[in-house]
Each structure stands twice: as structure tokens, then as C-alpha cells.
Amino acid sequence: MEKFCLKVGFNERQTATLISGKPLFYEGELYSEEHKRKFTTERAGFQVVKDPKDRSKLALAINGQLIGEWFREQLGRLFSSVKKTVEPLRRGKARHYKQYQREDSKFVFWADQNHLHLSRWSSECF
């Protein structure tokens, strides 16, 4: 659990507080290894709890929610906000897809028949 807390973005002092079972209030960025990105939190409560699926293991909770679920929820919010605010850029004849870019985003999204794709923005995309 200690290594996980450090990977997420807590410093050693914060990690020690969590490992001791005490709650910790935190505001800043948290890294999800599963999603390979950082998410921002504002004044959230963290605590190490027993994993509800396997009571012999520990889990990190944010405001009472397991952190893995919280990361998935945040990613879902990101994608839903991007889907609502994207603008079509062009239609590629060779690949048969549309590209979208949100003006304040560093990513380019495009959809083909079956998938929504995400790529880091670069001038080579256009």
C-alpha cells in the first residue's frame, strides 16, 4: 500500500499518515497508472480502508469511494465533457474517420465505426 500511495502522488509524510489509518485531506493531482494520466482533486478526504471484495487486503478510498472507481468516474466525466464540446475538423478519405479537437485540449479524438480514439495533439495531426 505504501508504494501505491507514493505512485499516486502522495509524499512520504502523507503516505505515513494514510498507512497509520488516519484520514488525510488533499488537494492536487493524482496519477492513475491504469489510465496513464493525472486527475485533479479539490480538498478530498483520503483514507486506507479494508478492501470490500477481499477483507484481507487494504484499499485507498477518496471520500469513501475506492480510488480505482473514482479514477474511472473522472475519466468518464472527461470523455463526456469532450464529446459535448468537440468540433469536426475534417474527414479523411483514406481512413474514413472524423477528427475532433477541443480548443483547450492537448488531445485529438477521432471516431471510426467501432471506436473512439484518443491521441496527444501535435502539429503532425493536421
Side-chain angles (χ1 to χ4, degrees):
M1 178 56 60
E2 184 177 350
K3 288 181 182 179
F4 178 74
C5 289
L6 292 169
K7 280 184 184 178
V8 168
F10 294 112
N11 63 33
E12 289 181 16
R13 190 171 132 256
Q14 293 165 329
T15 299
T17 300
L18 289 168
I19 297 299
S20 71
K22 296 177 185 174
L24 172 75
F25 291 95
Y26 178 79
E27 184 174 321
E29 290 186 334
L30 301 171
Y31 179 73
S32 168
E33 195 168 88
E34 178 184 349
H35 300 102
K36 306 281 190 257
R37 65 167 292 122
K38 291 182 179 181
F39 296 94
T40 303
T41 181
E42 297 176 6
R43 190 83 176 129
F46 291 85
Q47 191 164 16
V48 173
V49 296
K50 289 188 177 185
D51 190 328
K53 294 178 183 173
D54 184 352
R55 305 288 290 169
S56 66
K57 294 183 180 179
L58 297 175
L60 183 61
I62 174 172
N63 296 331
Q65 181 180 20
L66 295 180
I67 196 153
E69 294 172 5
W70 185 83
F71 281 141
R72 282 189 284 283
E73 185 180 284
Q74 298 306 307
L75 189 67
R77 287 182 183 173
L78 172 67
F79 278 127
S80 67
S81 71
V82 168
K83 286 179 187 177
K84 292 176 187 174
T85 60
V86 294
E87 298 177 18
L89 291 176
R90 67 176 183 172
R91 183 178 181 125
K93 293 181 181 179
R95 295 187 183 172
H96 302 289
Y97 65 80
K98 291 183 179 179
Q99 286 188 340
Y100 301 89
Q101 180 187 9
R102 189 172 152 182
E103 288 184 23
D104 62 342
S105 178
K106 295 179 183 176
F107 299 94
V108 173
F109 296 84
W110 71 92
D112 59 23
Q113 292 176 338
N114 302 314
H115 300 92
L116 177 66
H117 302 274
L118 168 69
S119 176
R120 288 202 180 272
W121 183 87
S122 73
S123 58
E124 297 170 4
C125 292
F126 304 102

